[in-house]
Amino acid sequence: MIEEGKIFIGASRNPDDSINKPEYLDLKFGNRHGLVTGATGTGKTVTLQVLAEGFSRAGVPVFAADIKGDLSGIAAKGEPKDFLTKRAEQIGFTDYEFDQFPVIFWDLFGEKGHRVRTTIAEMGPLLLARLMDASEPQEGVINIAFKIADQGGLPLLDLKDFSSLLNYMGENASQLSNQYGLISKASVGSIQRALLVLEQQGAEHFFGEPALKITDIMRTSNNGYGQISVLAADKLMMNPRLYATFLLWLLSELFEELPEVGDPDKPKLVFFFDEAHLLFNDAPKVLTERVEQVVRLIRSKGVGVYFVTQNPLDVPETVLAQLGNRAQHALRAYSPREQKAVRTAADTFRANPAFDCATVITNLGTGEALVSTLEAKGAPSIVERTLIRPPSGRVGPVTDDERRQIMDRSPVLGIYDEDIDRESAFELLAARAKKAADAEAAKRAQEEAPQQQGGTTSGWNLPGFGGGNDDNQQGRGQSRGRSSGYQRETVVEAAMKSVARTVATQVGRALVRGILGSLKR
């Protein structure tokens, strides 16, 4: 039942429960995106695994998030189990074999996979504002911060870089506002508090270097299989906004870096976005528009995006309309919203006269789905009630020892596992602040240092005497020197200065009179 250029999904059933025909996803339409939906426990993860295995076997790299840890089993060879062999027999899958697939494990926290990072600069102001749930004024300040960093040659790599830049902006808010627009100290303070929250939630692990290279998630193995990048997301899901922002950043990077390839015979990469509702929950309009744009245009880069979520209503209609390959697992219809979701899901399929979609959706069994894929000329096929084929890899997670062994022979071993902290905005701003402080200290020391006198009379070191045009300035300097740093002269010092000036004037006059008297003789 395996066909060249196609992924075997399962077999459709007739109304009398007899097997109808095999259902395939054509690889040349694999970059037309897809949707896998269904309630918890209906078999979405297995469907995701079946698709990922099919793409990998065809030489297509895959990136997928592992929310519950179950998907990691794709790295291990499957094991004979009754429910697997029974399903294979049920759909007439005589070619069923167990297999293992090349996997690279990734983890933002570096615990269950290789560290995956990006820099603040690569994240950009829009996604960073989304990550911090910034208000409109705060988003404006964030945009100004990126502008200042660009013009000032300040690389923004990690959270401390951005925090240092915000400190600088807060201290110079008035001056910078004249050049860039209003920079409110209150907004700067709010952003700094949001950064602190992000740091406490583990976001500092995500920002830094070495940053992830897109080419490292687009590898193929020696046997021609596409590498499957599995992101450990069980801990990451404790911060859903970070999870959604990270995947959207990765999708944006793919869009920006990959060249146009048109419609290839098979995708260059397939990207599975699990728990997709987290991306769109409370998302501002500008972000939703960005997602719609990326999904619409990234197809021409050879990238297929497959959203995995519980409810089709989780995905905006503008995005939903672009998802041509669909697998709809069972939905519950207890509440009005759930009933609406069932009707929405049913209406998005090309109707099958043999059954009513809305009725079937609520009666699907585990591992069963309504499937429609793109066929000739990119038109959707008639929806079929399909039994999903059993996966070839293990169903269930790998052990910790197995995970370590896989990581030890990973093609990216040693590339991302150590942090690099090069000179960036934090160090540059600190150096500039130190230089300014040193210059100010030197200026103050020069003003406060005792000045050497130009001459003495009657053994006195008289302030203001012998200083030429700088008499008064030198006298002030000496007065500060005697007062050990005081900025004002004491009463005694003022009196002494007055006496000294009087004495100096009288001595000077006597000398002049003596000289003139000798000349007259």
Side-chain angles (χ1 to χ4, degrees):
M1 302 181 75
I2 301 298
E3 288 192 17
E4 187 71 24
K6 296 183 178 182
I7 297 174
F8 175 51
I9 300 176
S12 58
R13 301 167 61 180
N14 294 312
D16 61 359
D17 285 343
S18 61
I19 295 300
N20 179 19
K21 62 184 178 66
E23 299 296 329
Y24 296 97
L25 189 156
D26 198 327
L27 283 171
K28 66 181 178 182
F29 297 121
N31 65 328
R32 301 293 181 93
H33 313 316
L35 178 69
V36 180
T37 55
T40 301
T42 57
K44 295 193 305 294
T45 302
V46 171
T47 300
L48 189 161
Q49 182 171 340
V50 166
L51 292 175
E53 289 178 359
F55 281 117
S56 176
R57 193 180 285 110
V60 178
V62 173
F63 186 94
D66 190 10
I67 302 296
K68 297 176 291 186
D70 296 343
L71 189 60
S72 62
I74 200 171
K77 192 171 183 177
E79 303 162 350
K81 292 185 178 180
D82 291 342
F83 71 95
L84 297 175
T85 55
K86 181 179 179 180
R87 174 57 60 88
E89 293 173 0
Q90 192 175 6
I91 63 176
F93 188 14
T94 57
D95 299 333
Y96 182 44
E97 294 180 350
F98 295 107
D99 199 357
Q100 66 182 92
F101 298 83
V103 170
I104 301 176
F105 288 116
W106 302 94
D107 185 359
L108 262 68
F109 305 99
E111 297 172 357
K112 295 184 177 181
H114 303 291
R115 285 284 301 278
V116 53
R117 313 174 188 79
T118 187
T119 64
I120 293 286
E122 289 176 342
M123 174 67 74
L126 174 62
L127 293 183
L128 190 61
R130 164 65 171 166
L131 182 60
M132 293 190 291
D133 195 21
S135 64
E136 187 174 343
Q138 293 165 5
E139 186 174 348
V141 172
I142 293 172
N143 277 279
I144 292 174
F146 275 77
K147 185 71 172 178
I148 293 173
D150 289 341
Q151 294 182 345
L154 301 171
L156 296 177
L157 303 182
D158 51 28
L159 289 181
K160 72 177 186 296
D161 289 329
F162 194 58
S163 180
S164 297
L165 180 56
L166 290 173
N167 288 335
Y168 167 77
M169 292 172 64
E171 293 169 357
N172 300 274
S174 299
Q175 180 181 354
L176 293 173
S177 294
N178 294 332
Q179 184 176 355
Y180 297 99
L182 179 62
I183 299 175
S184 165
K185 290 186 177 181
S187 293
V188 172
S190 297
I191 297 171
Q192 288 174 319
R193 289 192 294 272
L195 283 181
L196 180 61
V197 173
L198 286 180
E199 185 175 354
Q200 292 173 340
Q201 293 176 345
E204 78 275 9
H205 298 287
F206 177 43
F207 295 108
E209 290 186 316
L212 177 67
K213 295 180 181 178
I214 295 301
T215 52
D216 282 330
I217 63 171
M218 300 184 67
R219 294 172 174 264
T220 54
S221 65
N222 294 332
N223 63 355
Y225 279 24
Q227 289 275 1
I228 301 176
S229 292
V230 176
L231 175 70
D234 49 348
K235 183 177 179 180
L236 181 59
M237 283 302 297
M238 296 176 67
N239 185 357
R241 192 177 295 273
L242 178 59
Y243 166 77
T245 305
F246 163 70
L247 291 187
L248 181 55
W249 163 79
L250 187 55
L251 196 59
S252 300
E253 286 293 296
L254 290 167
F255 172 69
E256 293 174 3
E257 291 193 17
L258 296 181
E260 297 278 344
V261 295
D263 285 317
D265 293 334
K266 60 184 180 181
K268 300 295 182 183
L269 175 73
V270 169
F271 185 97
F272 287 94
F273 204 131
D274 202 357
E275 298 293 341
H277 65 281
L278 297 174
L279 175 61
F280 302 105
N281 281 357
D282 302 321
K285 183 179 179 181
V286 63
L287 186 62
T288 303
E289 291 174 348
R290 171 67 172 171
V291 175
E292 178 189 351
Q293 178 192 40
V294 170
V295 172
R296 185 176 68 252
L297 299 178
I298 204 171
R299 185 188 76 183
S300 63
K301 310 277 183 136
V303 177
V305 182
Y306 288 71
F307 293 98
V308 183
T309 189
Q310 294 189 18
N311 195 318
L313 294 179
D314 295 334
V315 182
E317 290 185 7
T318 53
V319 177
L320 196 63
Q322 302 177 54
L323 311 180
N325 303 299
R326 302 189 181 187
Q328 175 66 63
H329 289 268
L331 288 175
R332 312 304 176 211
Y334 303 124
S335 68
R337 185 178 188 275
E338 291 172 337
Q339 293 170 3
K340 180 182 178 181
V342 170
R343 291 193 298 270
T344 299
D347 292 342
T348 57
F349 286 112
R350 181 180 170 186
N352 189 328
F355 57 84
D356 177 63
C357 279
T359 301
V360 170
I361 287 175
T362 59
N363 296 322
L364 291 170
T366 302
E368 191 177 14
L370 291 180
V371 173
S372 175
T373 59
L374 298 179
E375 49 186 17
K377 297 183 180 180
S381 64
I382 294 175
V383 64
E384 296 287 357
R385 183 172 183 173
T386 304
L387 291 171
I388 303 299
R389 58 150 288 182
S392 297
R394 180 187 299 173
V395 177
V398 295
T399 65
D400 292 341
D401 288 340
E402 289 172 327
R403 185 185 293 269
R404 280 193 294 269
Q405 291 173 11
I406 293 169
M407 290 179 61
D408 286 343
R409 56 177 184 268
S410 168
V412 297
L413 179 64
I415 298 178
Y416 298 101
D417 300 317
E418 296 294 333
D419 290 332
I420 296 176
D421 190 10
R422 65 183 174 93
E423 186 178 67
S424 52
F426 175 79
E427 290 80 11
L428 292 174
L429 288 172
R432 292 180 189 181
K434 184 177 184 303
K435 183 177 180 181
D438 290 345
E440 181 66 23
K443 180 180 178 181
R444 187 178 296 111
Q446 185 177 7
E447 292 176 350
E448 296 177 355
Q451 301 296 321
Q452 296 294 328
Q453 300 301 317
T456 59
T457 301
S458 303
W460 289 13
N461 186 9
L462 300 176
F465 182 76
N469 295 331
D470 294 331
D471 285 355
N472 292 337
Q473 182 177 352
Q474 291 180 1
R476 287 194 296 270
Q478 290 178 0
S479 173
R480 291 193 186 100
R482 288 193 304 272
S483 63
S484 302
Y486 284 90
Q487 298 300 312
R488 295 182 178 272
E489 296 173 336
T490 64
V491 175
V492 175
E493 289 173 332
M496 291 295 294
K497 180 181 288 187
S498 177
V499 171
R501 284 182 179 147
T502 301
V503 172
T505 300
Q506 292 175 349
V507 172
R509 287 174 180 172
L511 288 173
V512 170
R513 286 197 298 268
I515 294 172
L516 290 176
S518 64
L519 289 176
K520 288 179 179 179
R521 294 192 185 96

